[in-house]
Amino acid sequence: MRHPTRHGPIRAMAMLVALATLTFSFAQDATEVVLSIGSRGFGEAAPVLIEKCEQQIGGIDVEWNRISDVPNESRSVYVTNFTARNDDPDVVAVDVIWPGDFAGRGWIAPLDEYFTDEELSEYLPGFLEAAQIDGSTYAIPLYIDGIHLFYRSDLLDKYGFDPPSTWEELIDQANTIVAGEGDPDLNGFVSMWAKIEGLFMNWLSFFQGAGGSFFDANGNVNVDTEAGRQSLETMLDILYEHELAPESILTYRPDDARILFQQGRSVFLMVQDFVLEPLTSEDSPVRDDVGFTRVPYFEGHEDANTTVIGGFLLAVNAYSDAKEASAELIRCMTSQESQVQATLLQGKVPTRPAVYDDPQVQEERPNVAALGDNFLHAFARPSAGAGTAYPQISEIMQTEISAVLLRQKTPEQALQDAERQIEPLLQ
Amino acid sequence: MRQANRTAILFLIPALAVITAILLFPVVQTLALSFGRDTTSMLRDYEFAGLANYRRLLDTPRFVTSVLNTLFFTVVTVPVELILGLGLALVLNRRLPAQGLVRMAVLFPWALPTALNALMWRWMFNADYGLFNAALTGTGIVEPINWLGSIPLAMYSMMFVSIWKTSSFIALLLLAGLQAIPHDIYEAAEMDGVTAWSKLRYITLPLLQPAILVAVLLRTMDAMRAFELPFNLTDGGPLTSTETLSLYAYRAIFQYVDFNLGSAAIIVQFVIIMIIAGAYLITLRRDSYA
Amino acid sequence: MRDPVPARPAAPPPGRRSRSRSGRASGRGRLGLYLLVAGTVFVSFFPTVWLFLTSIKSQAQIYAWPVEFWPSPATLENYREIFQVSTELVRYIVNSFVVASGMTFMILAVGGLAAYSLARFDYRGRFAVLTGILAVSMFPPLALLPALFDLFLEIGLLNTYIGLILAHTGLYLPMAVWILSNFYKTIPRELEDAARMDGASFLRIFWSVILPLSRPGLIATGLIVFIMSWNEFPLALVLMTDNAMRTAPVGISLFPGEFSFPWEIISAATILAIVPIMVISAIFQDRIIGGLTAGSSK
């Protein structure tokens, strides 16, 4: 028979050690935070920033859930996740037009308790607004993109033109150049006018450039105005009167327009800044001849904001079980240091004005630094004000604008129909 | 007899179990949601709204357009695919030179994932730098055609892609059916000097009928539910001329997060498919299933 | 059982091999046939060939204007880049393979039995079951998405092979059952009756008599559902959110950027992703056609 007391102390020791290890590991247990962000849009910066932030914050373990960068696709995944009240992912990268929608549905958590007003003031106000609903902030800007006017600097130089600042000038210049070159393959203007979100963005640019404002002071939709008509008529003129744009422009997504311009077949290009990299790359036939400037306004509206912005923000899943850790991660990933890193690594356009002045950024990514000026005239789409009705409003506008451009409706008719359909949604 | 029936049911149970688990719950959920208001699940915060969603649908011209588009698409593509598929199957059933190559060729269109396929055709159809227009304008005779940007050409282009892709699926189904027809019958017919056309009409087609029925049924169901093709090829454009029912439902559910409207649209789609399928089964079914 | 066919004399003397169906096709008919075949091959192959050519062109060439048809020079840099941009492509393809194989096996097993039950046995409600199965399968996968996700989340089947296999099986089982039950009906009853009289159990009959004879049908169905599972997108997207578990089509859908669609990489990735399907179908195509002699020796 074994004598119990001889093994007693050993067993006790063992148990103590086990207990200690257990509690120790419990205390060391890192909070898992699942970050959902695209692998192409942020793929180079993400691993670097994640590692850095894990170290800086300590006690968190970030898992990177790669999601599609195509907003439609990631949106369907998010809708499925949120309606099922999944607690993963904790931190989600949201397109700029989603916070109003997601917040209205209670899918993302307000971040006011984690960020002070002072911290928030360091981000581009035009961008942050898109995430501020009813006085609360629901997402923090990560990176931005905007629509700019790109042009063939060689052609403009050849005809002695400065980059146009008004639409009237642009149309003049395009007409002259196309007539002068006599090249049947050369178009005056190309953009992304398929029935997509980008069409609404494009039109908003024209609209604001004519002094328009989507919502009036009382929050009612206000597109059936002189500005609304002028914007549509100019688009029609570019297409049919001056024949500056190919008719197929109505099937174009942003990259289609980029390809046409890259093939040297257009004088002007109005599209997001993602085109800078491919257009100036080794492979591009136009690599040395690309210039960019702010999207034009109409004569008499110099102060108009015509740079429509897109981009991504980071938000916290309302059903997450790690909200505080998530907020910390967001703070770290959108910090000055992180944004500089992202810009240097991947050319992401930052959402902190201070980053544009960073000397390293100016040296290594001069294009990004130059874009900063255009973002002084940035404006976001009316997504925050529209809340959960935004997807429908955008769809209505896209359809009406398309109908005008396909010459199935007059501008007046379309704008009236648009207002008629949008009003009930805003109740 | 009793033992036979018991075995029969036993054989059936695994399949029914899987189908119930995977398909039945979502189907019931969709039905429930179509009668609901402001809900995304019948298990949580469900509010009954009767036929409200269906009434809303009928009031939405865009929904009606999508139904008509889908019906048009189905009514044109299915017969064409059937005829082409049948032709292909008959050809494949013979001894041919490079038989392996031909068989592979037939499978290729169908083996590509639909989404990618549509994107590739979209690229080839591009009016300015796509392959087709490049070839056309190269001849110097023809102007570039706006394949996907004109109404109604866009719909025809989409139909073409569908026919290209699924004729081979039908060929595959019918081919296996052709295999099952014993040679003796043909040989006996040949000995009697029957023409090829008569053989086709009086021997092949009748014997192939069950396979044809299945092929047409499946293809009709698929055509009525077309989603990845319109989504990637035209996104329902220009305007709404190629928007199918599924695309409409997708928008309702994932863009507007209106699960109730989208579910109602899906139920309508389902009912239409049921009616068409029922029509097939009643008029074309001669073999014993009852 | 089968539709009435004009009564024919007994089978011709054995040993006489059957030639091509039309036997005495004229020279012109032959030419027409060859033209038709050539045309079919061209039209069928062409887009995939275009995709392949794109995958071996340089980026500059892909977007060049005027359009350059042939790669000059041909390059493998796109394939190399895939493995840099996404080293997980191989993993994705393996996942697709696991899911598609598992699902095919399950469908043939479960569906094969069910189809036999529905094709051969006479019991009340048989037609109702058949129609019911078909009916539930008429719902678009779209409708299944949120509900299935919710269900799998509760049960914990997300990000598991068995979960997606089950989902795909459910999705394509009705179709498989319909196709297979048709095949079973073309098998003469006499064989089964004979085996029955010898005292074989139903399972035994199914295994030894029915299965071998329905091989063309099984292989065709297996091929069809394999390819369908391989290419399935919406459910795979939503039920497998873990990177390591993603299937090929979903993995490839991660290549495009928000605005850009890099054909150079995507064409290469797609070619890689359909190679397994091609290989498998090449192997099995022989079996399907090879079923020729099996079917006629009754």
Side-chain angles (χ1 to χ4, degrees):
Chain A
M1 184 183 97
R2 289 226 185 87
H3 200 26
T5 52
R6 209 170 326 140
H7 299 279
I10 297 178
R11 239 193 273 146
M13 271 299 276
M15 272 179 42
L16 215 65
V17 171
L19 203 64
T21 331
L22 213 62
T23 11
F24 203 73
S25 68
F26 256 59
Q28 291 287 0
D29 222 10
T31 320
E32 187 180 272
V33 174
V34 179
L35 167 69
S36 173
I37 192 169
S39 50
R40 293 289 274 175
F42 214 62
E44 283 150 57
V48 173
L49 293 184
I50 288 175
E51 201 181 304
K52 179 190 81 160
C53 291
E54 274 177 337
Q55 279 173 359
Q56 271 186 11
I57 304 175
I60 69 165
D61 188 18
V62 180
E63 185 195 316
W64 178 22
N65 177 18
R66 266 161 264 197
I67 204 172
S68 172
D69 271 297
V70 181
N72 270 337
E73 289 198 12
S74 51
R75 188 186 165 91
S76 49
V77 173
Y78 284 156
V79 168
T80 312
N81 261 293
F82 288 135
T83 51
R85 309 201 183 169
N86 196 1
D87 61 8
D88 275 343
D90 302 286
V91 178
V92 289
V94 293
D95 191 1
V96 69
I97 48 172
W98 292 347
D101 192 6
F102 288 6
R105 299 186 190 280
W107 288 350
I108 54 181
L111 300 175
D112 305 301
E113 60 188 279
Y114 305 109
F115 291 86
T116 66
D117 281 341
E118 201 193 313
E119 284 174 310
L120 292 177
S121 68
E122 291 168 18
Y123 298 98
L124 278 171
F127 197 15
L128 190 64
E129 261 164 30
Q132 289 175 319
I133 294 100
D134 289 337
S136 281
T137 307
Y138 283 86
I140 307 293
L142 184 64
Y143 63 86
I144 196 175
D145 65 66
I147 297 189
H148 313 271
L149 183 73
F150 298 87
Y151 57 86
R152 287 280 298 279
S153 45
D154 57 327
L155 289 176
L156 259 62
D157 283 342
K158 180 171 169 189
Y159 289 80
F161 289 135
D162 282 331
S165 28
T166 67
W167 284 111
E168 290 84 352
E169 277 172 34
L170 182 145
I171 292 179
D172 246 353
Q173 293 182 8
N175 275 326
T176 314
I177 297 178
V178 169
E181 290 296 298
D183 177 358
D185 261 351
L186 183 68
N187 297 291
F189 176 88
V190 73
S191 183
M192 57 209 182
W193 288 2
K195 191 186 121 324
I196 53 175
E197 176 76 18
L199 175 64
F200 183 34
M201 291 166 80
N202 240 247
W203 173 80
L204 274 174
S205 229
F206 282 88
F207 180 58
Q208 297 233 164
S213 169
F214 197 80
F215 290 122
D216 64 18
N218 301 322
N220 297 318
V221 61
N222 193 29
V223 296
D224 187 14
T225 60
E226 180 56 42
R229 284 185 285 280
Q230 187 177 18
S231 48
L232 282 174
E233 265 152 27
T234 310
M235 289 169 87
L236 278 172
D237 285 346
I238 291 179
L239 248 181
Y240 299 113
E241 162 103 13
H242 306 285
E243 289 184 347
L244 291 172
E247 262 182 58
S248 50
I249 195 183
L250 300 176
T251 59
Y252 272 23
R253 314 258 167 98
D255 216 26
D256 297 325
R258 185 266 304 176
I259 291 177
L260 202 68
F261 186 85
Q262 189 168 327
Q263 290 173 343
R265 291 159 74 184
S266 184
V267 180
F268 291 106
L269 170 70
M270 179 174 159
V271 100
Q272 288 93 342
D273 43 63
F274 75 94
V275 298
L276 268 179
E277 203 193 301
L279 286 181
T280 53
S281 73
E282 286 280 306
D283 287 327
S284 163
V286 299
R287 61 183 163 275
D288 300 318
D289 305 315
V290 180
F292 60 88
T293 180
R294 193 183 125 205
V295 171
Y297 46 85
F298 287 96
E299 267 165 28
H301 296 277
E302 300 82 22
D303 323 317
N305 287 334
T306 54
T307 308
V308 195
I309 53 175
F312 278 84
L313 306 93
L314 291 177
V316 176
N317 181 352
Y319 305 106
S320 158
D321 51 3
K323 292 209 184 71
E324 196 172 323
S326 301
E328 285 308 307
L329 181 63
I330 293 180
R331 172 178 293 114
C332 173
M333 289 191 71
T334 59
S335 68
Q336 171 84 1
E337 182 189 64
S338 296
Q339 292 210 12
V340 169
Q341 269 178 299
T343 306
L344 294 175
L345 278 171
Q346 226 183 316
K348 302 316 295 183
V349 184
T351 56
R352 284 170 174 271
V355 178
Y356 293 98
D357 299 326
D358 182 282
Q360 234 189 325
V361 167
Q362 290 191 335
E363 193 188 311
E364 293 180 37
R365 297 275 182 184
N367 276 337
V368 171
L371 286 173
D373 286 334
N374 289 3
F375 286 117
L376 293 176
H377 296 273
F379 74 95
R381 283 155 277 172
S383 55
T388 57
Y390 180 75
Q392 274 162 292
I393 290 180
S394 172
E395 181 66 32
I396 291 169
M397 290 305 301
Q398 293 170 35
T399 311
E400 296 301 329
I401 298 169
S402 280
V404 172
L405 295 179
L406 282 166
R407 291 194 285 195
Q408 297 206 345
K409 280 193 190 185
T410 65
E412 294 78 19
Q413 224 180 328
L415 293 170
Q416 279 166 19
D417 288 343
E419 281 199 1
R420 191 180 35 84
Q421 293 173 69
I422 294 177
E423 259 168 42
L425 296 172
L426 292 174
Q427 283 350 330
Chain B
M1 221 41 206
R2 188 65 62 90
Q3 201 233 333
N5 282 2
R6 226 177 342 160
T7 320
I9 301 197
L10 220 64
F11 278 11
L12 201 52
I13 286 183
L16 285 183
V18 174
I19 290 179
T20 308
I22 303 292
L23 294 181
L24 203 62
F25 169 61
V27 164
V28 170
Q29 166 101 301
T30 307
L31 193 62
L33 285 177
S34 74
F35 294 120
R37 174 183 296 125
D38 282 336
T39 50
T40 60
S41 166
M42 66 182 174
L43 305 169
R44 286 189 282 266
D45 324 315
Y46 184 74
E47 197 185 311
F48 189 70
L51 292 176
N53 296 316
Y54 293 97
R55 252 176 263 135
R56 261 203 294 164
L57 281 179
L58 288 177
D59 276 338
T60 316
R62 190 161 175 166
F63 170 72
V64 178
T65 308
S66 71
V67 173
L68 294 175
N69 285 341
T70 314
L71 284 173
F72 182 41
F73 178 74
T74 307
V75 160
V76 171
T77 55
V78 176
V80 173
E81 284 162 9
L82 179 64
I83 295 172
L84 283 179
L86 184 61
L88 269 176
L90 288 171
V91 165
L92 285 179
N93 207 18
R94 298 156 167 269
R95 238 150 277 258
L96 292 165
Q99 203 162 16
L101 192 70
V102 180
R103 286 189 234 140
M104 289 290 286
V106 167
L107 200 65
F108 263 70
W110 193 57
L112 285 176
T114 315
L116 199 96
N117 199 14
L119 287 166
M120 189 175 60
W121 282 93
R122 185 170 165 265
W123 187 31
M124 294 195 288
F125 273 136
N126 183 292
D128 298 294
Y129 55 79
L131 190 63
F132 296 150
N133 276 355
L136 281 177
T137 52
T139 64
I141 320 171
V142 191
E143 287 285 302
I145 302 179
N146 201 356
W147 301 99
L148 299 177
S150 18
I151 310 174
L153 187 55
M155 176 55 107
Y156 296 130
S157 304
M158 189 165 93
M159 287 179 179
F160 178 78
V161 178
S162 174
I163 292 170
W164 174 83
K165 181 173 165 92
T166 31
S167 300
S168 34
F169 171 67
I170 298 208
L172 201 58
L173 275 182
L174 295 182
L175 184 60
L178 283 175
Q179 303 309 302
I181 302 178
H183 282 207
D184 329 14
I185 298 191
Y186 286 113
E187 282 163 6
E190 268 170 46
M191 288 204 317
D192 279 4
V194 175
T195 68
W197 172 247
S198 288
K199 266 195 291 185
L200 182 66
R201 186 150 170 237
Y202 294 113
I203 303 179
T204 314
L205 284 185
L207 289 177
L208 208 50
Q209 195 201 61
I212 291 180
L213 174 63
V214 172
V216 170
L217 204 59
L218 292 175
R219 256 320 288 164
T220 303
M221 278 167 42
D222 277 346
M224 286 292 305
R225 297 181 295 178
F227 172 70
E228 301 216 29
L229 179 59
F231 185 66
N232 288 295
L233 191 69
T234 57
D235 198 16
L239 278 186
T240 54
S241 61
T242 57
E243 185 164 273
T244 56
L245 252 178
S246 290
L247 206 54
Y248 179 83
Y250 172 85
R251 259 190 247 290
I253 293 181
F254 291 102
Q255 288 293 319
Y256 310 156
V257 197
D258 192 344
F259 276 57
N260 307 107
L261 194 67
S263 298
I266 291 175
I267 297 290
V268 171
Q269 184 182 40
F270 172 66
V271 168
I272 296 178
I273 296 178
M274 284 286 290
I275 293 176
I276 299 179
Y280 283 155
L281 288 176
I282 293 174
T283 63
L284 296 182
R285 169 174 65 90
R286 270 187 240 133
D287 255 338
S288 57
Y289 257 127
Chain C
M1 181 186 85
R2 225 180 258 113
D3 246 22
V5 158
R8 288 296 162 190
R16 177 178 159 185
R17 295 235 313 138
S18 153
R19 299 238 206 144
S20 78
R21 289 282 134 98
S22 77
R24 287 163 277 289
S26 64
R28 211 172 335 133
R30 213 136 258 255
L31 182 64
L33 184 65
Y34 289 162
L35 277 180
L36 183 65
V37 170
T40 307
V41 172
F42 178 73
V43 170
S44 299
F45 260 138
F46 178 72
T48 317
V49 167
W50 175 244
L51 193 67
F52 175 67
L53 288 178
T54 304
S55 73
I56 51 175
K57 287 181 190 166
S58 68
Q59 196 190 29
Q61 245 210 313
I62 294 175
Y63 299 110
W65 178 261
V67 173
E68 293 174 31
F69 191 74
W70 295 105
S72 61
T75 166
L76 286 178
E77 72 188 43
N78 296 327
Y79 289 94
R80 248 179 275 133
E81 199 180 322
I82 290 187
F83 289 106
Q84 281 169 4
V85 166
S86 166
T87 50
E88 293 144 336
L89 187 62
V90 177
R91 182 73 208 251
Y92 297 154
I93 293 181
V94 167
N95 289 336
S96 275
F97 193 80
V98 171
V99 172
S101 315
M103 172 261 199
T104 303
F105 178 73
M106 209 168 166
I107 279 203
L108 290 181
V110 169
L113 283 175
Y116 183 58
S117 161
L118 290 165
R120 269 295 185 258
F121 295 90
D122 232 319
Y123 47 90
R124 258 204 310 240
R126 186 172 58 147
F127 191 56
V129 172
L130 206 56
T131 333
I133 290 181
L134 198 65
V136 287
S137 77
M138 288 181 191
F139 272 70
L142 215 62
L144 307 182
L145 254 162
L148 221 53
F149 180 81
D150 213 334
L151 186 67
F152 277 31
L153 183 62
E154 294 296 314
I155 305 180
L157 276 179
L158 284 181
N159 288 319
T160 57
Y161 282 131
I162 189 67
L164 192 57
I165 288 177
L166 266 178
H168 280 181
T169 304
L171 199 57
Y172 299 121
L173 196 54
M175 173 183 79
V177 166
W178 262 80
I179 296 177
L180 285 174
S181 57
N182 258 330
F183 276 105
Y184 294 146
K185 278 147 64 49
T186 64
I187 297 172
R189 263 197 203 275
E190 299 86 60
L191 291 165
E192 294 163 70
D193 293 342
R196 233 15 227 132
M197 290 207 291
D198 284 350
S201 76
F202 285 110
L203 199 57
R204 173 127 196 129
I205 294 180
F206 182 71
W207 186 258
S208 321
V209 177
I210 304 297
L211 276 187
L213 284 178
S214 56
R215 250 191 10 177
L218 283 172
I219 293 180
T221 309
L223 198 59
I224 288 174
V225 300
F226 185 88
I227 294 180
M228 286 190 140
S229 166
W230 189 276
N231 288 338
E232 199 275 332
F233 187 76
L235 287 182
L237 173 71
V238 158
L239 298 178
M240 299 283 227
T241 52
D242 199 354
N243 278 321
M245 298 296 288
R246 292 212 142 111
T247 58
V250 179
I252 295 180
S253 80
L254 295 179
F255 284 136
E258 190 185 345
F259 301 109
S260 58
F261 195 84
W263 271 113
E264 57 276 16
I265 313 185
I266 293 183
S267 57
T270 308
I271 295 288
L272 283 178
I274 66 176
V275 159
I277 302 183
M278 288 299 132
V279 167
I280 291 184
S281 67
I283 299 176
F284 283 103
Q285 282 274 36
D286 277 337
R287 300 289 170 82
I288 295 180
I289 314 296
L292 216 159
T293 42
S296 67
S297 61
K298 288 186 184 135

